[in-house]
Amino acid sequence: MTLARTARLVRPARTSVPPGTRFVLAGSAVAWVALPLWTVGAGHGGAVEPWRAGWLLTWLLMVVAMMWPLAAPALAVVTGRAFRAWRVRLVATCLGVFTLLWVAAGLAVAVAAHVLAVPAAGGVWALGWVLVALVAGRSARRARLLWKCTEVPGVAPGGARGLASAAIAGAVAWRRCALLCGPVMTAMVLAHDPLLMLGASAAAWWEAAHPRAWRDPVPALLLAAVAAWLLLGVVGSR
Amino acid sequence: MIRTRQDIAGLTLGDAAKAATQQWHPVLDTYARGVELMKALPASDPRSWLWAANTHGIPPGTPPRPTWNQCTHQSVFFLPWHRAYLAWFEETIRDLTGDPDWALPYWDYTVPGTRADRTVPVEFSVRTRTVAANVVPNPLFAPNRDAGPIPIGDVGIVDALADPRFVRSFLPGFGGADPDRRTGHVENLPHNFVHNDIGGLMGSPATAGRDPIFWLHHSNIDRLWEVWSGLPGSVPPTAPGAASALLVAQWRSAVFVFGDPASPATYTMDQVEDPTGFGYEYQVTELPADLADAVQEARAAAGAAVGVAPVDETEPEWEPIAATFNVTSGQDRDIPVAAGASATAAALTAGTTTPSGLVIELSGVRATDPHGVYVVEVRSAPDAGAHRAGRISTFGLAGTADEEERDYLVDATPILPDLLDEGWSGGTLSIRVVPEQGRADSDDVDKAIRVRQVTLYVPTA
């Protein structure tokens, strides 16, 4: 056996990131760096009132940082099914719809929080929603939904039909993410706590990589740790 | 304790009259008693027959439960999920019959031989049987099965076993593809075809588990996984380089869940990958000599070096070059290669290169009452002769919800030399999907399958 062949046999499992989706993960990484710089630079620390300027950019950065990696499998499918000449356009459409829907959902929640006069820091709000996420994690129906997380509807390879189907694929990917990660993302709308963001992201990404792990303790422990952290903040503020 | 799942060929009486009047082999007798006991339980009982069947699929309109309707098809988890499913079912039979030694038999329709090998065993086809001198309804009987033998072309296992990889990245391997959501070789043939051929309850995933022969069919499919695993050079999905890190993580962490959601029976992938952990082994996991030779020859012909794990670099990258939409079976459809699709497509249409492979994808296929098998025909020009690119089993489309869809990949590479010989150089191809002739349902009026999209793929030049 040649050295080259031996090296190929013992090399680690190949990357799970198709070329077309690498920029999505890169974008997420950039957002993770940009977000603290922006919030600190803007001087509002971990709390941004949704009805003030700057909230939208913060929320967009959070969506990019936390949710874009979860769109990667759908984008990989779109990439593989698109004509090469249409790949960028279809992937951009899919990702654009996915992102736009998250922004719209965030706005809707923010408006609701404003109407309900939820305090801007949102400590209790965040704690409540993280507890909802913890309870939802025990749901068998949610577990079933996780199994279908990577299913993507058919995508036409180009043209107007391709753009439309890529948009639908983005919407379907968003809908699943919203159902699965909705509670923690609702918490994030007001509470831009870095630890909450880190814990919620880690839980969501872990679940995406282990979708058939029945009642997996890892995401539950991550969310429990986040809840404990939030509880300390709530108690400390009183 | 290791139990042996036995070939039903050695257990069956082999004669319908004897099956109706004589005592059955204890393995089949226990199975019949177990099924009868399960059928006597209400559907709300997780040990009941309907619960077991509904775990696989539910007819449209059935109120769902969290652990029902799990049938894992068109997936890399097809084999492990069904293995765990059988183990859970087998345990239920043992519990209800009080026979701790009982193991589910398998029905090996793949052995070349007499017609009877491919006909549903008589213990499943007689309406009554005799127990303690009393004639009683046979719990293993199911109505509307096709009484004839399964066509020999529908039980071929050489092509499936010849693939040394469990997963591949575009065309599937033995067990599926990476990314997931493709039908693995063994799921397609013999699994899907045998379901269709038996028909009746077996013809739909929504009802298949209600036919007692279902469990022996899947016992054989599970055995074929063991056969494949034992072949020199077979590469499981967890071998280095065999699959993406994401798929390996998904695979290793999978837990299969059955029964009452409040206190379910759970099986980890570690358990599933080693059947002896479930306490069973198969009577035979070695192929007959002629089949073994055919598999080895096919592997050698495919260039797969036995004992060496293939790596990703051995697989070409496939890209779409043409597509058409909303095709109905029986309809001729020209598919012009889109020169602007890519450099590969441009080179093909300019005639500066020829493809080294051709794959046809039928995606978003829907039907309500289709024929069992359709053939995909390809013509190099509208007036040229038709070449049979491949065939698809429609198992999964009948008896399921109207919105149920299936995707199929047909590897048309074997007919590519013929297309090139006829002068096709990357321009328009003509495609037609038609019911296969010579089958039990061939004379039926085609009730049509509708294909949302037909896409042509070639390896990137």
PDB file of all heavy atoms in Angstrom, chain B residues 409-440:
ATOM      1  N   LEU B 409     -33.831   8.226  -8.059  1.00  0.00           N
ATOM      2  CA  LEU B 409     -32.672   8.407  -8.921  1.00  0.00           C
ATOM      3  C   LEU B 409     -32.541   7.171  -9.800  1.00  0.00           C
ATOM      4  O   LEU B 409     -32.585   6.049  -9.305  1.00  0.00           O
ATOM      5  CB  LEU B 409     -31.394   8.552  -8.090  1.00  0.00           C
ATOM      6  CG  LEU B 409     -31.083   9.906  -7.457  1.00  0.00           C
ATOM      7  CD1 LEU B 409     -29.727   9.853  -6.768  1.00  0.00           C
ATOM      8  CD2 LEU B 409     -31.091  11.020  -8.486  1.00  0.00           C
ATOM      9  N   VAL B 410     -32.400   7.395 -11.084  1.00  0.00           N
ATOM     10  CA  VAL B 410     -32.199   6.286 -12.017  1.00  0.00           C
ATOM     11  C   VAL B 410     -30.837   6.486 -12.670  1.00  0.00           C
ATOM     12  O   VAL B 410     -30.604   7.503 -13.336  1.00  0.00           O
ATOM     13  CB  VAL B 410     -33.313   6.266 -13.085  1.00  0.00           C
ATOM     14  CG1 VAL B 410     -33.026   5.195 -14.121  1.00  0.00           C
ATOM     15  CG2 VAL B 410     -34.667   6.030 -12.421  1.00  0.00           C
ATOM     16  N   ASP B 411     -29.948   5.537 -12.460  1.00  0.00           N
ATOM     17  CA  ASP B 411     -28.617   5.623 -13.059  1.00  0.00           C
ATOM     18  C   ASP B 411     -28.696   5.133 -14.498  1.00  0.00           C
ATOM     19  O   ASP B 411     -28.813   3.931 -14.748  1.00  0.00           O
ATOM     20  CB  ASP B 411     -27.632   4.790 -12.248  1.00  0.00           C
ATOM     21  CG  ASP B 411     -26.199   4.967 -12.752  1.00  0.00           C
ATOM     22  OD1 ASP B 411     -26.000   5.731 -13.725  1.00  0.00           O
ATOM     23  OD2 ASP B 411     -25.282   4.348 -12.171  1.00  0.00           O
ATOM     24  N   ALA B 412     -28.658   6.086 -15.417  1.00  0.00           N
ATOM     25  CA  ALA B 412     -28.778   5.751 -16.841  1.00  0.00           C
ATOM     26  C   ALA B 412     -27.413   5.563 -17.489  1.00  0.00           C
ATOM     27  O   ALA B 412     -27.327   5.424 -18.717  1.00  0.00           O
ATOM     28  CB  ALA B 412     -29.561   6.848 -17.563  1.00  0.00           C
ATOM     29  N   THR B 413     -26.372   5.526 -16.700  1.00  0.00           N
ATOM     30  CA  THR B 413     -25.016   5.384 -17.259  1.00  0.00           C
ATOM     31  C   THR B 413     -24.878   4.131 -18.134  1.00  0.00           C
ATOM     32  O   THR B 413     -24.220   4.198 -19.187  1.00  0.00           O
ATOM     33  CB  THR B 413     -23.974   5.390 -16.121  1.00  0.00           C
ATOM     34  OG1 THR B 413     -24.133   6.600 -15.371  1.00  0.00           O
ATOM     35  CG2 THR B 413     -22.563   5.311 -16.665  1.00  0.00           C
ATOM     36  N   PRO B 414     -25.475   3.010 -17.755  1.00  0.00           N
ATOM     37  CA  PRO B 414     -25.309   1.816 -18.609  1.00  0.00           C
ATOM     38  C   PRO B 414     -25.832   2.009 -20.038  1.00  0.00           C
ATOM     39  O   PRO B 414     -25.346   1.332 -20.952  1.00  0.00           O
ATOM     40  CB  PRO B 414     -26.101   0.739 -17.862  1.00  0.00           C
ATOM     41  CG  PRO B 414     -26.051   1.161 -16.437  1.00  0.00           C
ATOM     42  CD  PRO B 414     -26.121   2.658 -16.475  1.00  0.00           C
ATOM     43  N   ILE B 415     -26.807   2.887 -20.246  1.00  0.00           N
ATOM     44  CA  ILE B 415     -27.311   3.071 -21.620  1.00  0.00           C
ATOM     45  C   ILE B 415     -26.629   4.243 -22.316  1.00  0.00           C
ATOM     46  O   ILE B 415     -26.900   4.504 -23.498  1.00  0.00           O
ATOM     47  CB  ILE B 415     -28.845   3.289 -21.651  1.00  0.00           C
ATOM     48  CG1 ILE B 415     -29.215   4.594 -20.937  1.00  0.00           C
ATOM     49  CG2 ILE B 415     -29.574   2.098 -21.056  1.00  0.00           C
ATOM     50  CD1 ILE B 415     -30.628   5.070 -21.268  1.00  0.00           C
ATOM     51  N   LEU B 416     -25.733   4.902 -21.619  1.00  0.00           N
ATOM     52  CA  LEU B 416     -25.066   6.063 -22.215  1.00  0.00           C
ATOM     53  C   LEU B 416     -24.301   5.709 -23.489  1.00  0.00           C
ATOM     54  O   LEU B 416     -24.375   6.453 -24.488  1.00  0.00           O
ATOM     55  CB  LEU B 416     -24.141   6.705 -21.170  1.00  0.00           C
ATOM     56  CG  LEU B 416     -23.509   8.043 -21.530  1.00  0.00           C
ATOM     57  CD1 LEU B 416     -24.551   9.076 -21.929  1.00  0.00           C
ATOM     58  CD2 LEU B 416     -22.666   8.550 -20.368  1.00  0.00           C
ATOM     59  N   PRO B 417     -23.552   4.598 -23.530  1.00  0.00           N
ATOM     60  CA  PRO B 417     -22.852   4.261 -24.786  1.00  0.00           C
ATOM     61  C   PRO B 417     -23.807   4.132 -25.968  1.00  0.00           C
ATOM     62  O   PRO B 417     -23.486   4.547 -27.086  1.00  0.00           O
ATOM     63  CB  PRO B 417     -22.175   2.922 -24.463  1.00  0.00           C
ATOM     64  CG  PRO B 417     -22.011   2.934 -22.975  1.00  0.00           C
ATOM     65  CD  PRO B 417     -23.217   3.655 -22.452  1.00  0.00           C
ATOM     66  N   ASP B 418     -25.011   3.583 -25.702  1.00  0.00           N
ATOM     67  CA  ASP B 418     -25.992   3.447 -26.796  1.00  0.00           C
ATOM     68  C   ASP B 418     -26.443   4.828 -27.280  1.00  0.00           C
ATOM     69  O   ASP B 418     -26.592   5.054 -28.485  1.00  0.00           O
ATOM     70  CB  ASP B 418     -27.208   2.647 -26.315  1.00  0.00           C
ATOM     71  CG  ASP B 418     -26.827   1.225 -25.943  1.00  0.00           C
ATOM     72  OD1 ASP B 418     -25.881   0.694 -26.542  1.00  0.00           O
ATOM     73  OD2 ASP B 418     -27.475   0.666 -25.034  1.00  0.00           O
ATOM     74  N   LEU B 419     -26.686   5.722 -26.336  1.00  0.00           N
ATOM     75  CA  LEU B 419     -27.124   7.074 -26.718  1.00  0.00           C
ATOM     76  C   LEU B 419     -26.034   7.780 -27.521  1.00  0.00           C
ATOM     77  O   LEU B 419     -26.324   8.443 -28.536  1.00  0.00           O
ATOM     78  CB  LEU B 419     -27.462   7.896 -25.465  1.00  0.00           C
ATOM     79  CG  LEU B 419     -28.583   7.356 -24.572  1.00  0.00           C
ATOM     80  CD1 LEU B 419     -28.710   8.200 -23.303  1.00  0.00           C
ATOM     81  CD2 LEU B 419     -29.912   7.343 -25.326  1.00  0.00           C
ATOM     82  N   LEU B 420     -24.797   7.612 -27.101  1.00  0.00           N
ATOM     83  CA  LEU B 420     -23.688   8.258 -27.812  1.00  0.00           C
ATOM     84  C   LEU B 420     -23.508   7.638 -29.195  1.00  0.00           C
ATOM     85  O   LEU B 420     -23.245   8.346 -30.178  1.00  0.00           O
ATOM     86  CB  LEU B 420     -22.399   8.140 -26.995  1.00  0.00           C
ATOM     87  CG  LEU B 420     -22.410   8.876 -25.643  1.00  0.00           C
ATOM     88  CD1 LEU B 420     -21.161   8.541 -24.829  1.00  0.00           C
ATOM     89  CD2 LEU B 420     -22.498  10.381 -25.863  1.00  0.00           C
ATOM     90  N   ASP B 421     -23.679   6.317 -29.263  1.00  0.00           N
ATOM     91  CA  ASP B 421     -23.563   5.644 -30.569  1.00  0.00           C
ATOM     92  C   ASP B 421     -24.620   6.157 -31.548  1.00  0.00           C
ATOM     93  O   ASP B 421     -24.400   6.190 -32.756  1.00  0.00           O
ATOM     94  CB  ASP B 421     -23.724   4.127 -30.406  1.00  0.00           C
ATOM     95  CG  ASP B 421     -22.473   3.486 -29.828  1.00  0.00           C
ATOM     96  OD1 ASP B 421     -21.431   4.185 -29.768  1.00  0.00           O
ATOM     97  OD2 ASP B 421     -22.553   2.312 -29.403  1.00  0.00           O
ATOM     98  N   GLU B 422     -25.765   6.517 -31.020  1.00  0.00           N
ATOM     99  CA  GLU B 422     -26.847   7.010 -31.889  1.00  0.00           C
ATOM    100  C   GLU B 422     -26.678   8.478 -32.258  1.00  0.00           C
ATOM    101  O   GLU B 422     -27.537   9.045 -32.928  1.00  0.00           O
ATOM    102  CB  GLU B 422     -28.196   6.819 -31.179  1.00  0.00           C
ATOM    103  CG  GLU B 422     -28.600   5.351 -31.061  1.00  0.00           C
ATOM    104  CD  GLU B 422     -29.817   5.135 -30.160  1.00  0.00           C
ATOM    105  OE1 GLU B 422     -30.388   6.141 -29.680  1.00  0.00           O
ATOM    106  OE2 GLU B 422     -30.169   3.964 -29.925  1.00  0.00           O
ATOM    107  N   GLY B 423     -25.604   9.052 -31.765  1.00  0.00           N
ATOM    108  CA  GLY B 423     -25.311  10.423 -32.164  1.00  0.00           C
ATOM    109  C   GLY B 423     -25.702  11.473 -31.165  1.00  0.00           C
ATOM    110  O   GLY B 423     -25.548  12.666 -31.423  1.00  0.00           O
ATOM    111  N   TRP B 424     -26.212  11.045 -30.012  1.00  0.00           N
ATOM    112  CA  TRP B 424     -26.527  12.056 -29.001  1.00  0.00           C
ATOM    113  C   TRP B 424     -25.221  12.671 -28.502  1.00  0.00           C
ATOM    114  O   TRP B 424     -24.281  11.956 -28.179  1.00  0.00           O
ATOM    115  CB  TRP B 424     -27.273  11.442 -27.820  1.00  0.00           C
ATOM    116  CG  TRP B 424     -27.616  12.481 -26.777  1.00  0.00           C
ATOM    117  CD1 TRP B 424     -28.514  13.490 -26.905  1.00  0.00           C
ATOM    118  CD2 TRP B 424     -27.058  12.608 -25.463  1.00  0.00           C
ATOM    119  NE1 TRP B 424     -28.560  14.238 -25.749  1.00  0.00           N
ATOM    120  CE2 TRP B 424     -27.671  13.724 -24.846  1.00  0.00           C
ATOM    121  CE3 TRP B 424     -26.098  11.895 -24.741  1.00  0.00           C
ATOM    122  CZ2 TRP B 424     -27.357  14.131 -23.557  1.00  0.00           C
ATOM    123  CZ3 TRP B 424     -25.790  12.298 -23.462  1.00  0.00           C
ATOM    124  CH2 TRP B 424     -26.421  13.410 -22.874  1.00  0.00           C
ATOM    125  N   SER B 425     -25.164  13.973 -28.507  1.00  0.00           N
ATOM    126  CA  SER B 425     -23.905  14.611 -28.113  1.00  0.00           C
ATOM    127  C   SER B 425     -24.160  15.711 -27.085  1.00  0.00           C
ATOM    128  O   SER B 425     -23.459  16.722 -27.068  1.00  0.00           O
ATOM    129  CB  SER B 425     -23.202  15.179 -29.349  1.00  0.00           C
ATOM    130  OG  SER B 425     -24.063  16.113 -29.999  1.00  0.00           O
ATOM    131  N   GLY B 426     -25.146  15.491 -26.282  1.00  0.00           N
ATOM    132  CA  GLY B 426     -25.362  16.488 -25.241  1.00  0.00           C
ATOM    133  C   GLY B 426     -26.510  17.427 -25.536  1.00  0.00           C
ATOM    134  O   GLY B 426     -26.698  18.415 -24.839  1.00  0.00           O
ATOM    135  N   GLY B 427     -27.284  17.139 -26.576  1.00  0.00           N
ATOM    136  CA  GLY B 427     -28.437  17.980 -26.868  1.00  0.00           C
ATOM    137  C   GLY B 427     -29.666  17.479 -26.145  1.00  0.00           C
ATOM    138  O   GLY B 427     -29.590  17.043 -25.001  1.00  0.00           O
ATOM    139  N   THR B 428     -30.787  17.519 -26.812  1.00  0.00           N
ATOM    140  CA  THR B 428     -32.053  17.135 -26.190  1.00  0.00           C
ATOM    141  C   THR B 428     -32.156  15.620 -26.033  1.00  0.00           C
ATOM    142  O   THR B 428     -31.802  14.863 -26.927  1.00  0.00           O
ATOM    143  CB  THR B 428     -33.211  17.648 -27.054  1.00  0.00           C
ATOM    144  OG1 THR B 428     -33.151  19.074 -27.089  1.00  0.00           O
ATOM    145  CG2 THR B 428     -34.551  17.194 -26.500  1.00  0.00           C
ATOM    146  N   LEU B 429     -32.643  15.200 -24.875  1.00  0.00           N
ATOM    147  CA  LEU B 429     -32.994  13.803 -24.652  1.00  0.00           C
ATOM    148  C   LEU B 429     -34.506  13.717 -24.500  1.00  0.00           C
ATOM    149  O   LEU B 429     -35.143  14.669 -24.033  1.00  0.00           O
ATOM    150  CB  LEU B 429     -32.327  13.258 -23.396  1.00  0.00           C
ATOM    151  CG  LEU B 429     -30.880  12.782 -23.496  1.00  0.00           C
ATOM    152  CD1 LEU B 429     -30.407  12.317 -22.131  1.00  0.00           C
ATOM    153  CD2 LEU B 429     -30.736  11.656 -24.505  1.00  0.00           C
ATOM    154  N   SER B 430     -35.057  12.607 -24.904  1.00  0.00           N
ATOM    155  CA  SER B 430     -36.494  12.405 -24.753  1.00  0.00           C
ATOM    156  C   SER B 430     -36.722  11.349 -23.678  1.00  0.00           C
ATOM    157  O   SER B 430     -36.054  10.312 -23.677  1.00  0.00           O
ATOM    158  CB  SER B 430     -37.085  11.956 -26.095  1.00  0.00           C
ATOM    159  OG  SER B 430     -38.480  11.905 -25.996  1.00  0.00           O
ATOM    160  N   ILE B 431     -37.663  11.619 -22.800  1.00  0.00           N
ATOM    161  CA  ILE B 431     -37.879  10.732 -21.645  1.00  0.00           C
ATOM    162  C   ILE B 431     -39.348  10.365 -21.511  1.00  0.00           C
ATOM    163  O   ILE B 431     -40.232  11.192 -21.802  1.00  0.00           O
ATOM    164  CB  ILE B 431     -37.373  11.422 -20.356  1.00  0.00           C
ATOM    165  CG1 ILE B 431     -35.859  11.474 -20.417  1.00  0.00           C
ATOM    166  CG2 ILE B 431     -37.869  10.728 -19.112  1.00  0.00           C
ATOM    167  CD1 ILE B 431     -35.192  11.683 -19.125  1.00  0.00           C
ATOM    168  N   ARG B 432     -39.586   9.152 -21.099  1.00  0.00           N
ATOM    169  CA  ARG B 432     -40.969   8.717 -20.871  1.00  0.00           C
ATOM    170  C   ARG B 432     -40.973   7.758 -19.677  1.00  0.00           C
ATOM    171  O   ARG B 432     -40.060   6.940 -19.536  1.00  0.00           O
ATOM    172  CB  ARG B 432     -41.509   8.020 -22.115  1.00  0.00           C
ATOM    173  CG  ARG B 432     -43.017   7.817 -22.093  1.00  0.00           C
ATOM    174  CD  ARG B 432     -43.522   7.477 -23.479  1.00  0.00           C
ATOM    175  NE  ARG B 432     -43.090   6.153 -23.895  1.00  0.00           N
ATOM    176  CZ  ARG B 432     -43.907   5.206 -24.372  1.00  0.00           C
ATOM    177  NH1 ARG B 432     -45.181   5.463 -24.523  1.00  0.00           N
ATOM    178  NH2 ARG B 432     -43.447   4.040 -24.728  1.00  0.00           N
ATOM    179  N   VAL B 433     -41.987   7.876 -18.858  1.00  0.00           N
ATOM    180  CA  VAL B 433     -42.156   6.978 -17.712  1.00  0.00           C
ATOM    181  C   VAL B 433     -43.416   6.162 -17.969  1.00  0.00           C
ATOM    182  O   VAL B 433     -44.499   6.734 -18.130  1.00  0.00           O
ATOM    183  CB  VAL B 433     -42.305   7.780 -16.396  1.00  0.00           C
ATOM    184  CG1 VAL B 433     -42.444   6.847 -15.213  1.00  0.00           C
ATOM    185  CG2 VAL B 433     -41.101   8.701 -16.198  1.00  0.00           C
ATOM    186  N   VAL B 434     -43.260   4.851 -18.055  1.00  0.00           N
ATOM    187  CA  VAL B 434     -44.412   4.000 -18.419  1.00  0.00           C
ATOM    188  C   VAL B 434     -44.508   2.807 -17.466  1.00  0.00           C
ATOM    189  O   VAL B 434     -43.492   2.356 -16.934  1.00  0.00           O
ATOM    190  CB  VAL B 434     -44.279   3.473 -19.862  1.00  0.00           C
ATOM    191  CG1 VAL B 434     -44.453   4.597 -20.863  1.00  0.00           C
ATOM    192  CG2 VAL B 434     -42.948   2.776 -20.077  1.00  0.00           C
ATOM    193  N   PRO B 435     -45.721   2.292 -17.269  1.00  0.00           N
ATOM    194  CA  PRO B 435     -45.851   1.086 -16.432  1.00  0.00           C
ATOM    195  C   PRO B 435     -45.064  -0.066 -17.066  1.00  0.00           C
ATOM    196  O   PRO B 435     -45.045  -0.213 -18.282  1.00  0.00           O
ATOM    197  CB  PRO B 435     -47.355   0.794 -16.456  1.00  0.00           C
ATOM    198  CG  PRO B 435     -47.997   2.090 -16.820  1.00  0.00           C
ATOM    199  CD  PRO B 435     -47.028   2.791 -17.714  1.00  0.00           C
ATOM    200  N   GLU B 436     -44.430  -0.858 -16.206  1.00  0.00           N
ATOM    201  CA  GLU B 436     -43.655  -1.989 -16.730  1.00  0.00           C
ATOM    202  C   GLU B 436     -44.599  -3.067 -17.257  1.00  0.00           C
ATOM    203  O   GLU B 436     -45.622  -3.365 -16.624  1.00  0.00           O
ATOM    204  CB  GLU B 436     -42.756  -2.569 -15.637  1.00  0.00           C
ATOM    205  CG  GLU B 436     -41.824  -3.644 -16.167  1.00  0.00           C
ATOM    206  CD  GLU B 436     -40.835  -4.133 -15.121  1.00  0.00           C
ATOM    207  OE1 GLU B 436     -41.284  -4.485 -14.001  1.00  0.00           O
ATOM    208  OE2 GLU B 436     -39.621  -4.161 -15.410  1.00  0.00           O
ATOM    209  N   GLN B 437     -44.235  -3.619 -18.397  1.00  0.00           N
ATOM    210  CA  GLN B 437     -45.053  -4.680 -18.990  1.00  0.00           C
ATOM    211  C   GLN B 437     -44.706  -6.029 -18.357  1.00  0.00           C
ATOM    212  O   GLN B 437     -43.650  -6.204 -17.764  1.00  0.00           O
ATOM    213  CB  GLN B 437     -44.812  -4.729 -20.500  1.00  0.00           C
ATOM    214  CG  GLN B 437     -45.308  -3.488 -21.229  1.00  0.00           C
ATOM    215  CD  GLN B 437     -46.800  -3.236 -20.978  1.00  0.00           C
ATOM    216  OE1 GLN B 437     -47.632  -4.087 -21.248  1.00  0.00           O
ATOM    217  NE2 GLN B 437     -47.118  -2.069 -20.427  1.00  0.00           N
ATOM    218  N   GLY B 438     -45.635  -6.971 -18.509  1.00  0.00           N
ATOM    219  CA  GLY B 438     -45.393  -8.328 -18.037  1.00  0.00           C
ATOM    220  C   GLY B 438     -45.618  -8.505 -16.543  1.00  0.00           C
ATOM    221  O   GLY B 438     -45.186  -9.498 -15.965  1.00  0.00           O
ATOM    222  N   ARG B 439     -46.290  -7.560 -15.927  1.00  0.00           N
ATOM    223  CA  ARG B 439     -46.566  -7.682 -14.507  1.00  0.00           C
ATOM    224  C   ARG B 439     -48.058  -7.950 -14.295  1.00  0.00           C
ATOM    225  O   ARG B 439     -48.867  -7.799 -15.217  1.00  0.00           O
ATOM    226  CB  ARG B 439     -46.171  -6.409 -13.758  1.00  0.00           C
ATOM    227  CG  ARG B 439     -44.735  -5.985 -13.985  1.00  0.00           C
ATOM    228  CD  ARG B 439     -44.365  -4.844 -13.099  1.00  0.00           C
ATOM    229  NE  ARG B 439     -44.323  -5.250 -11.699  1.00  0.00           N
ATOM    230  CZ  ARG B 439     -43.259  -5.794 -11.108  1.00  0.00           C
ATOM    231  NH1 ARG B 439     -42.151  -5.978 -11.807  1.00  0.00           N
ATOM    232  NH2 ARG B 439     -43.284  -6.130  -9.846  1.00  0.00           N
ATOM    233  N   ALA B 440     -48.409  -8.293 -13.077  1.00  0.00           N
ATOM    234  CA  ALA B 440     -49.804  -8.646 -12.799  1.00  0.00           C
ATOM    235  C   ALA B 440     -50.742  -7.482 -13.091  1.00  0.00           C
ATOM    236  O   ALA B 440     -51.896  -7.684 -13.484  1.00  0.00           O
ATOM    237  CB  ALA B 440     -49.937  -9.079 -11.339  1.00  0.00           C
TER     238      ALA B 440
END
